[in-house]
Structure formats: C-alpha cells, structure tokens
Amino acid sequence: MPFNVKKMYINGEWVNSQADQSREILNPATGEVIAVVAEGTVEDVKHAIHSARKAFDEGPWRSFSAQDRASLLLQISSLIDEHKEELAKLETMNNGKPLREALSDVETASDAFRYYAGLVRTSLGETFDSTIDSIVIQEPIGVCTQIVPWNFPLQMAAWKLAPCLAAGNVSVFKPAETTPLSAIRLFELMSELDIPPGVVNLVLGAGRVIGNELTSNEHVDKVSFTGGTVTGKKIMANSIETMKKVTLELGGKSPVVVFSDVNIDTTVEYALFGIFLGAGQVCSAGSRILVHEDIYQEFIGKMTAHAEQIVVGNGLDEGVEMGPVASEAHMHKVLDFIQTGEREGATLATGGKRIVEGNYGKGYFIEPTIFTNVSNNMSVVQEEIFGPVVTVQTFSSEEEAVRLANSTKYGLAGAVFTNDFSRALRVTKSMKAGTVWINKYHSVNNQLPWGGFKQSGFGRDLGKNSLLEYTETKVVNMNIHSSAVGFYKSFSDNS
Ligand code: NAD
C-alpha cells in the first residue's frame, strides 16, 4: 500500500524535505513498513531555526501572558486525552512497547502539559525587602532545540515541549528518526490550536546528519537533549562556541541493591519490572542487581523462573508483558553485548537469544536475559546495553554494596530494598544517583525533577527545576525615590 509522506511542521506549515528525501518507518514487532516520513536536511533545520527566531523576536508570542500560555497547554493536554487510545496504539506500533505501557506514557504526557500550565502561573521570581527595591524576574531564554530518543517518544516530547512553552520559549523539536509517529500526531493536534507560526517546529531526520546544525547554529539559545552519553558529549562540544544553555539527560547503568531482610518474592518482581519494562530500553532500567550473598541462591532461582514466564510478543496483543526492541540495528547491538558477556566468562542463567520461531522471526525479539558469575569490570556490568539484559552480583556487607553500586561512570538512578529504615536511608544518601527508589522501582512523577549525576548528564527535566532551566534570571534594581547618586562633588555644588 503506498503511503502519503508525513511532513515536517515548520513556521506553521506542513512541509516536505527540501531534498525531497523520505524514510520508511517500521513496526519492530512485525518488520512491516507502517509509514513514510520526510527526511529533513540541514537546510530544513536552518529554515526551522530561522522561523523560531523570528517568532521569538518579532512575533505575537512574546505578548502571550503566562495565563495565555497555560490555556494553550491545557488545550494540548485535552487533545492528548481525547486521542489517548489512538496515540497509544501508534506508539506501540512504532516503538514496540506493550499497549498498557504506551497508555501510561500518553497519560504522563497529557499530565506534563497540565502540570506546567499550573506551575507557570505560580510565583517564579523573587522580590526583596522594600529598602532594596529590587526584583528578580525569570524570562524565557529564546530558541530551544529539543532532541529525544526512541524509547519514550511521546512522553519525552511532552517533557521537553511543556516546560519550554510554559516559560515562553519557542521550540525546534526533533524526535528519533525511527520513532517519529506519535510526535507527528502531537504536532497535528497542536496545529489545530491558535499557536503563532514558528513557535513550535517539528524537524525529522537522522541525528548524525542534522544534529550538528540543531546544536551549533548561532541562533539557538538552548539545547535540551535526551539520549546516549556519547551523543551528549558531542552536543556539549557543539554548543560551546556560542555558549548555549544545555540540558543533558543521558544513559544509565542503575544498581538495584537487595539486602537479606526483604520479602524475596516481592523484590524479585520489582527486579524483573526494573529491567524488563520497555524491554530494558529505559534510561533508568535496573540493569545491575546486587544481592546479599545470604539470599542469592533463592533470589536467582526465583528471578530466573519468573523471567522465563514473561509473555513476550507484539505489544498490541492482549496479555503481552514485553515487546520487541525498537529496531533491527538495536537488536544486533544488544545481541553483540550478550556475546561479549559470554566471551568475557559470564554465565547465562537464562535467555541470551533472539526469538525466531514463527511470527517472532519477523520482528526484533530478544529473550529476557540474566547473567550471573559476572565480575565488576566486565562490559556487561559497566556499559549501558539498553535491552532486556541484567547482571546479578553478590555482596557481603553494606560498604561493599555501596562501592559496587557507585562503580560505573553513570549515575542516573538506583534502588535499595530492605526493611531496615536506617540502612535504606544510609545507602540512599551514599548512592551517586539523581533518583533513588526505596523498596520500589520506576515510579516517576511530573512534579519531581528527573536527571543524572556523573556521566548520566546534568540539568533536570520535570518539576520546577525544568521550568526554571527554560528561563534566564534577570535582576532589576530600581531607584523609586528619584534620589541622586551623590558621587561627584560638582553635582552637589551646583544644586
Ligand atoms: P542517541 O543518542 O543515539 O539518539 C538520541 C537522539 O539524538 C535521536 O533523536 C538522534 O537522532 C539524535 N542524535 C544522534 N546523533 C546526534 C548528534 N550528533 N547531534 C544531535 N543529535 C543527535 O540515543 P538513542 O539510542 O536514541 O537512545 C538511547 C539513549 O537515550 C540511552 O543511552 C538512554 O539511556 C538515553 N535516555 C536517557 C533518558 C534520561 O532521561 N536520562 C531518557 C531516555 C533515554
């Protein structure tokens, strides 16, 4: 079936790639082409940035009050709610995640717009004692480029666009090249609203082709990026010349520390949920389990048995608990990591293979995979695999658990499971991570700041932090009594 090429949204219009290039978009569960989209070029990006610049500097957007912007965000939230099932289905077909996960992402996306609509109408600046006569105001920064990965396409779009627009900025947004469909649909919905041309722009295409322009163009004031640490470093380097504000939400290798006093069944389920949600393609995936040696045998036995019962399949099918990984190229990357783990001497407790029987062979399915007998310097322990692969190690003391937990270059998230309240807090405080869960995993709330320590990046999405990171701080000092400076003698002589 021929497809109409889905276009980019620039300056309030739907446009084709200037080079007339396009890209096929696949369903990772079936390998089928489900859409064809425009493939943007550097010229398209320049056009979008120019439109955004003009909209920010000269357009009516600057006169939109916080109340006006909040009203727009609420309308976007309502449109997402009205199209919830459609958006979730699209996300499942493009990314592969089970429908229940996609539905939860759509709800989070809608809530992000609602949250920032409310937050921007609260007090953001400061005022001081009347003898100082100063105020501090938070102003929008200007043109923001926003780049996201393929694991939470719609949710990431909302996490970026909502605070950016709430604060009064304009955006040039780029989804991942393999999963643009839910973002395109979001822009279609936004195009129904009275948003001035150039305020929201959607560019499509490969990061390695158009990424440089998005992150180095002199008319861009801020770059907000979510993706891999290697890409994040390139973006940071690109932004130096014009001193752009940068927010980087990068990779992780998050530890799950399990002490011996836990309820083993409950904790095993959290451990499985921590790694196999989104087929392990979650930045905060609990990909390193650290278990106290006293309960290791029982823990690994139960974890393996339950992992083997996870229902893997097409995310649109009822009862599916884990979908495929998002693309063929990514599947091969994950399988390569598994082979490296085996070569380095780790033991496969379960999984490790692509699933190829029947219809599975058309998609990019990998078995839920658990490695044991790993040493801490192995690449499966140190590197972000970003697939359904977890390592399990043991420890004998709290000190050793903390040392192992902090022993990678990442610091996005972590968890501690224990019934000892003091121990839970001690370990939490020692963990170098932007989020620590105690006796749970993966809960995220739009009100809470989200981001990493160490090479997991800097700056924060979500919460009040994110709104402030889309603003410049301006101090205004006033002379409200028309008093003279009184510095030069000649002025007092003449008066
Ligand atoms: P990636 O870095 O390859 O790509 C992310 C985005 O950057 C895509 O849109 C891509 O087109 C673009 N890109 C690629 N090269 C670029 C360049 N040179 N300049 C500008 N943009 C470029 O990451 P990925 O493989 O799509 O996503 C997986 C990574 O994202 C993982 O490392 C994961 O941990 C991370 N992630 C982090 C968070 C977080 O909140 N910290 C959330 C989700 C995903």
Side-chain angles (χ1 to χ4, degrees):
M1 185 179 74
F3 293 93
N4 289 328
V5 177
K6 289 186 181 293
K7 298 178 180 172
M8 295 179 278
Y9 189 68
I10 299 177
N11 203 30
E13 291 174 352
W14 291 98
V15 297
N16 262 322
S17 152
Q18 290 190 26
D20 212 20
Q21 293 168 352
S22 60
R23 170 189 292 266
E24 292 184 335
I25 302 300
L26 307 183
N27 179 341
T30 61
E32 287 166 342
V33 178
I34 51 171
V36 177
V37 304
E39 180 79 351
T41 61
V42 169
E43 289 310 310
D44 294 310
V45 171
K46 284 184 179 162
H47 177 203
I49 292 172
H50 174 75
S51 309
R53 185 79 268 164
K54 214 158 172 288
F56 187 75
D57 293 340
E58 300 165 28
W61 182 240
R62 288 302 288 272
S63 64
F64 275 52
S65 65
Q67 191 176 346
D68 297 332
R69 300 194 304 268
S71 160
L72 265 182
L73 296 194
L74 290 174
Q75 291 173 60
I76 297 171
S77 170
S78 299
L79 284 171
I80 294 174
D81 289 343
E82 280 166 31
H83 295 83
K84 182 170 150 183
E85 271 77 27
E86 176 201 345
L87 284 163
K89 198 170 160 208
L90 200 57
E91 198 78 309
T92 292
M93 286 174 68
N94 195 175
N95 163 281
K97 64 178 66 190
L99 199 53
R100 66 177 175 179
E101 292 179 30
L103 279 165
S104 160
D105 291 0
V106 179
E107 283 165 12
T108 306
S110 162
D111 183 63
F113 283 101
R114 261 198 314 278
Y115 168 65
Y116 283 106
L119 187 65
V120 76
R121 297 186 64 184
T122 62
S123 164
L124 289 180
E126 296 172 89
T127 54
F128 290 93
D129 171 312
S130 61
T131 58
I132 302 180
D133 295 331
S134 298
I135 54 172
V136 180
I137 45 183
Q138 303 299 139
E139 295 188 348
I141 298 174
V143 176
C144 304
T145 51
Q146 308 188 293
I147 304 172
V148 301
W150 41 258
N151 59 343
F152 287 88
L154 184 74
Q155 186 177 308
M156 291 290 147
W159 284 15
K160 299 290 183 204
L161 286 163
C164 171
L165 298 177
N169 301 282
V170 297
S171 165
V172 176
F173 178 82
K174 190 192 102 57
E177 47 269 46
T178 50
T179 58
L181 298 186
S182 56
I184 295 174
R185 189 70 189 112
L186 175 65
F187 273 75
E188 284 172 0
L189 296 175
M190 289 197 296
S191 71
E192 295 173 14
L193 303 174
D194 273 335
I195 304 178
V199 170
V200 286
N201 302 277
L202 171 72
V203 293
L204 305 171
R208 71 192 147 69
V209 177
I210 59 175
N212 268 1
E213 193 63 33
L214 283 165
T215 54
S216 63
N217 185 298
E218 60 179 329
H219 298 297
V220 172
D221 302 304
K222 175 178 167 100
V223 180
S224 181
F225 171 76
T226 300
T229 295
V230 173
T231 317
K233 289 179 185 178
K234 287 186 197 154
I235 287 173
M236 205 171 156
N238 264 349
S239 60
I240 285 177
E241 185 58 31
T242 49
M243 220 37 114
K244 301 182 195 318
K245 312 279 176 288
V246 179
T247 298
L248 297 175
E249 299 290 349
L250 308 177
K253 191 74 183 174
S254 301
V256 177
V257 179
V258 181
F259 286 94
S260 56
D261 60 347
V262 297
N263 176 314
I264 292 184
D265 291 311
T266 310
T267 311
V268 163
E269 189 176 4
Y270 271 114
L272 294 171
F273 178 62
I275 181 61
F276 297 125
L277 181 84
Q281 303 159 111
V282 178
C283 51
S284 53
S287 49
R288 292 185 297 138
I289 314 279
L290 309 172
V291 191
H292 192 276
E293 59 190 11
D294 288 354
I295 58 164
Y296 173 75
Q297 286 306 339
E298 186 180 352
F299 192 93
I300 192 68
K302 287 185 166 168
M303 190 169 170
T304 305
H306 283 284
E308 287 169 356
Q309 292 172 56
I310 289 175
V311 182
V312 181
N314 184 329
L316 290 180
D317 293 343
E318 190 84 21
V320 163
E321 295 171 327
M322 193 180 97
V325 296
S327 68
E328 187 172 8
H330 189 59
M331 175 182 72
H332 289 300
K333 196 174 147 202
V334 175
L335 292 171
D336 282 351
F337 261 117
I338 294 172
Q339 278 181 5
T340 306
E342 287 185 278
R343 233 187 359 259
E344 288 178 338
T347 304
L348 272 174
T350 185
K353 293 190 296 300
R354 178 179 181 183
I355 311 175
V356 289
E357 296 86 47
N359 279 339
Y360 282 105
K362 296 180 184 156
Y364 316 126
F365 295 94
I366 297 176
E367 293 170 334
T369 298
I370 301 175
F371 272 119
T372 54
N373 293 322
V374 292
S375 51
N376 206 43
N377 58 358
M378 288 181 180
S379 51
V380 282
V381 178
Q382 291 296 323
E383 300 299 327
E384 184 185 41
I385 299 175
F386 218 54
V389 182
V390 67
T391 58
V392 185
Q393 293 167 268
T394 57
F395 65 85
S396 55
S397 67
E398 186 179 314
E399 291 69 30
E400 189 186 8
V402 169
R403 185 173 53 72
L404 289 171
N406 289 333
S407 68
T408 73
K409 63 184 175 222
Y410 297 108
L412 188 59
V416 51
F417 286 82
T418 176
N419 285 319
D420 179 338
F421 178 73
S422 306
R423 166 171 278 165
L425 274 187
R426 272 198 311 273
V427 173
T428 297
K429 285 187 163 191
S430 304
M431 265 196 203
K432 295 190 172 70
T435 295
V436 180
W437 289 288
I438 298 178
N439 294 336
K440 66 194 305 207
Y441 212 89
H442 275 323
S443 57
V444 173
N445 189 304
N446 289 326
Q447 288 152 240
L448 304 173
W450 178 258
F453 286 20
K454 302 197 282 182
Q455 291 191 33
S456 291
F458 52 80
R460 292 291 179 269
D461 273 344
L462 302 184
K464 193 173 176 183
N465 302 53
S466 180
L467 189 63
L468 289 174
E469 286 186 27
Y470 280 103
T471 64
E472 292 276 23
T473 300
K474 181 179 282 176
V475 172
V476 184
N477 288 312
M478 298 171 282
N479 179 1
I480 60 174
H481 302 294
S482 302
S483 53
V485 63
F487 197 71
Y488 299 103
K489 187 166 170 298
S490 59
F491 282 85
S492 47
D493 288 351
N494 291 343
S495 60

